[in-house]
Amino acid sequence: MKVIQSAQNKQIKEWKKLATKKGRQKQKAYLLDGWHLVKEAFISDINISFLLVTENFKYLDEIETMNKDTHETIIISEEVANHLSETPSPQGVFAVVSLEDTQDENIVLQGAWLMLDAVQDPGNIGTMVRTADAAGFSGVIFGDGTADVYQPKVVRAMQGSQFHIKVITGSLGSWIQKMHTQHMPVFGTELNPDAKPYDTIEKQHDFAVIMGNEGNGMHKEFLQNTTCNLYIPIMGHAESLNVAVAAGILMFQLKA
Amino acid sequence: MKVIQSAQNKQIKEWKKLATKKGRQKQKAYLLDGWHLVKEAFISDINISFLLVTENFKYLDEIETMNKDTHETIIISEEVANHLSETPSPQGVFAVVSLEDTQDENIVLQGAWLMLDAVQDPGNIGTMVRTADAAGFSGVIFGDGTADVYQPKVVRAMQGSQFHIKVITGSLGSWIQKMHTQHMPVFGTELNPDAKPYDTIEKQHDFAVIMGNEGNGMHKEFLQNTTCNLYIPIMGHAESLNVAVAAGILMFQLKA
């Protein structure tokens, strides 16, 4: 098995670039960091090109039984692991996996969809993908201005849910239009009593719900093009809810 | 007005220690960083000892009209602001405020209460306090092993909700007992089909709901001492929900 000891190694330098959007697009790959995520990738049908493990990684035997023949396994030093990881104490296991083509416009619009309209915080975004998965949603559509799906902090917070549901990058305007054509209700969210309280809507099978930017909410052009807009009534004195919490409340309430 | 230019100033060194639990307990104070939090403190009835602003802070006039006579205002340099702040780009406004006595056992147990059983992540914890406020809860009880209420990251995520609802540190066992004495239902949370689905419970006025540790869930001794335990059914393939998202779904569902 190949061994890489130095963080100055040329190949390691390339993989380090996977932390940037440019690097991911150039190499058409992204990096999984940590045992839970790597295991999820092995269970899924995603294409793993390289598995990087430190010499003492305790689940190495378990990985070898997982029967993916396509990848090359490389032993890395602790120094390399610390260099590649965005976390303070890496577990010593990484996988370089293929970037899915997330702009697939031929997708079948069925079930429940979450749309993100210029959401910024990568932790919130990843948590929303994880919650959409837990709520039985079909997928999440990342609209313009939303942080990149495969940014390390988003990947960490998704906890592998990108292997369970569709994750698409695209223009929300055209997706909303497609949903209207298919008579799927599209719910916008607006912290505004002109909207309907979220718990007055019947549970739905095929629909979409849109979450807006943390500070500014949804774009007006999208708010005006929804089937109806919803709000979560605030009972106390907090000004608003965290966007990932609000998305969780809405998804679990609306999904039949 | 007093001016402090250097991060080496003795008083600044003392305030820097407010980022640690030891420093907060010794000085019986904690630090608010940012305009939203400082404004919330001015609106509330909390005791502000010092207001620290950079020379160019744009809302200084607005603060001066807020009519709190008790505090001393100190002008600080950008260097001092960067030193005191835990964020990469501080807004240039801080307040040193009194640490509330959060161990008050004479509190009236009415309304809805959130209890945290060894919850670790400060962002999750602060978000849960903010959500409890938004859901109209009376307060949040921080049980043993839960991160400190006044840690900077918790304070940032609470967004001032500590000024709107009670935030108490204490032993969950004795609080659960008190609630039983007052015939308030106490709901535990368990990712376990032996528990009841959360949406089969009637909405409640006076009750408590307990959230457990991110990895290990609630302590067994507490789970066995609740009125009943609830779970949120997972419809997809995610292993679990983020604890702050789960708490939000439960609080908004259960609160009458």
Side-chain angles (χ1 to χ4, degrees):
Chain A
M1 240 178 284
K2 192 170 167 181
V3 177
I4 301 182
Q5 297 280 2
S6 163
Q8 298 308 313
N9 175 283
K10 204 176 152 189
Q11 183 65 74
I12 297 297
K13 280 185 176 172
E14 282 303 301
W15 288 329
K16 180 71 185 172
K17 289 182 190 156
L18 296 177
T20 68
K21 191 169 183 177
K22 201 176 148 194
R24 291 190 293 275
Q25 283 176 337
K26 202 174 150 198
Q27 299 179 48
K28 294 196 178 16
Y30 71 105
L31 193 69
L32 298 172
D33 176 354
W35 181 220
H36 178 72
L37 292 180
V38 170
K39 207 162 48 176
E40 288 279 348
F42 269 88
I43 296 165
S44 80
D45 56 3
I46 201 155
N47 183 21
I48 301 175
S49 0
F50 295 93
L51 174 71
L52 319 177
V53 285
T54 52
E55 207 173 10
N56 301 320
F57 182 68
K58 62 178 172 178
Y59 299 110
L60 190 51
D61 293 346
E62 193 175 329
I63 292 176
E64 293 302 334
T65 63
M66 278 180 171
N67 204 20
K68 283 238 178 189
D69 312 319
T70 53
H71 70 274
E72 180 183 351
T73 301
I74 296 176
I75 305 293
I76 56 171
S77 64
E78 301 287 338
E79 179 201 336
V80 169
N82 287 324
H83 180 68
L84 280 180
S85 182
E86 306 279 316
T87 67
S89 25
Q91 296 174 350
V93 61
F94 303 84
V96 179
V97 299
S98 295
L99 208 56
E100 301 255 297
D101 183 1
T102 55
Q103 294 179 317
D104 187 352
E105 305 253 336
N106 300 319
I107 217 146
V108 183
L109 275 183
Q110 269 182 337
W113 291 81
L114 175 68
M115 294 185 181
L116 305 180
D117 180 14
V119 184
Q120 290 300 304
D121 181 81
N124 282 338
I125 292 169
T127 300
M128 286 191 276
V129 175
R130 174 183 174 193
T131 309
D133 179 10
F137 272 48
S138 301
V140 180
I141 304 174
F142 282 53
D144 294 333
T146 297
D148 187 62
V149 185
Y150 298 102
Q151 187 187 316
K153 281 184 187 166
V154 176
V155 172
R156 205 181 316 149
M158 288 195 293
Q159 297 218 352
S161 286
Q162 73 272 32
F163 304 130
H164 308 148
I165 62 174
K166 295 278 175 205
V167 179
I168 300 167
T169 299
S171 150
L172 292 195
S174 67
W175 283 103
I176 293 171
Q177 219 39 62
K178 277 184 204 171
M179 286 172 180
H180 285 319
T181 311
Q182 296 195 28
H183 307 290
M184 284 170 71
V186 177
F187 301 108
T189 49
E190 192 173 17
L191 253 180
N192 188 335
D194 288 345
K196 288 188 189 168
Y198 77 108
D199 53 358
T200 60
I201 302 289
E202 268 183 47
K203 285 184 182 289
Q204 309 279 333
H205 289 281
D206 302 298
F207 70 101
V209 59
I210 312 177
M211 301 305 300
N213 176 272
E214 288 91 340
N216 306 316
M218 277 177 59
H219 281 103
K220 267 217 178 115
E221 53 184 294
F222 299 143
L223 277 171
Q224 287 162 355
N225 200 18
T226 55
T227 310
C228 105
N229 296 324
L230 307 178
Y231 77 101
I232 300 175
I234 302 281
M235 329 288 264
H237 298 282
E239 276 184 14
S240 63
L241 286 165
N242 166 280
V243 65
V245 171
I249 293 169
L250 289 169
M251 289 193 276
F252 272 85
Q253 175 70 29
L254 293 173
K255 177 80 168 63
Chain B
M1 239 177 286
K2 191 169 168 182
V3 177
I4 301 182
Q5 298 280 4
S6 164
Q8 298 308 313
N9 176 283
K10 203 177 153 190
Q11 184 64 74
I12 298 297
K13 281 185 174 170
E14 282 303 302
W15 288 330
K16 180 70 186 172
K17 289 182 191 157
L18 295 177
T20 68
K21 191 169 182 178
K22 202 175 148 193
R24 291 190 292 274
Q25 283 176 337
K26 202 174 150 199
Q27 299 178 48
K28 293 195 177 17
Y30 72 105
L31 192 70
L32 299 171
D33 176 354
W35 180 220
H36 178 73
L37 291 180
V38 170
K39 208 162 48 175
E40 288 279 348
F42 269 88
I43 296 164
S44 80
D45 56 3
I46 201 155
N47 184 20
I48 300 176
S49 359
F50 296 93
L51 174 72
L52 319 177
V53 285
T54 52
E55 207 172 9
N56 301 320
F57 183 68
K58 61 179 174 181
Y59 299 110
L60 190 51
D61 294 347
E62 193 176 330
I63 292 176
E64 293 302 334
T65 64
M66 277 179 171
N67 205 20
K68 282 237 177 188
D69 312 318
T70 52
H71 70 275
E72 179 182 351
T73 301
I74 296 176
I75 305 293
I76 56 172
S77 64
E78 301 287 338
E79 179 201 336
V80 169
N82 286 324
H83 180 69
L84 280 179
S85 183
E86 305 279 315
T87 68
S89 25
Q91 295 174 349
V93 60
F94 302 84
V96 179
V97 299
S98 294
L99 207 57
E100 301 256 295
D101 183 1
T102 56
Q103 293 179 318
D104 186 353
E105 305 254 336
N106 300 318
I107 217 145
V108 182
L109 275 183
Q110 269 181 337
W113 291 80
L114 175 68
M115 295 185 180
L116 305 180
D117 180 13
V119 184
Q120 290 299 304
D121 181 81
N124 283 339
I125 292 169
T127 300
M128 285 192 276
V129 174
R130 174 183 174 193
T131 309
D133 179 10
F137 272 49
S138 300
V140 180
I141 304 174
F142 282 53
D144 294 334
T146 297
D148 187 61
V149 186
Y150 298 103
Q151 186 189 318
K153 281 184 187 167
V154 176
V155 171
R156 205 181 316 148
M158 288 196 293
Q159 296 218 350
S161 286
Q162 73 271 33
F163 304 130
H164 309 150
I165 62 174
K166 296 277 176 208
V167 179
I168 300 167
T169 298
S171 151
L172 292 194
S174 67
W175 283 103
I176 293 172
Q177 219 40 62
K178 277 184 204 172
M179 285 172 181
H180 285 319
T181 310
Q182 296 194 28
H183 307 290
M184 284 169 72
V186 178
F187 300 107
T189 49
E190 192 174 18
L191 253 180
N192 189 334
D194 288 345
K196 288 188 189 168
Y198 77 107
D199 53 358
T200 60
I201 301 290
E202 269 183 48
K203 285 184 180 288
Q204 309 278 334
H205 289 281
D206 303 298
F207 70 101
V209 58
I210 312 178
M211 301 305 300
N213 176 272
E214 287 93 337
N216 306 319
M218 278 177 57
H219 281 103
K220 267 218 178 117
E221 54 183 294
F222 299 143
L223 277 172
Q224 287 162 355
N225 200 19
T226 55
T227 309
C228 107
N229 297 324
L230 308 178
Y231 76 101
I232 300 176
I234 303 281
M235 329 288 264
H237 298 281
E239 276 184 15
S240 63
L241 285 166
N242 166 281
V243 65
V245 171
I249 293 169
L250 290 169
M251 288 193 277
F252 272 85
Q253 174 71 29
L254 293 173
K255 177 80 168 63

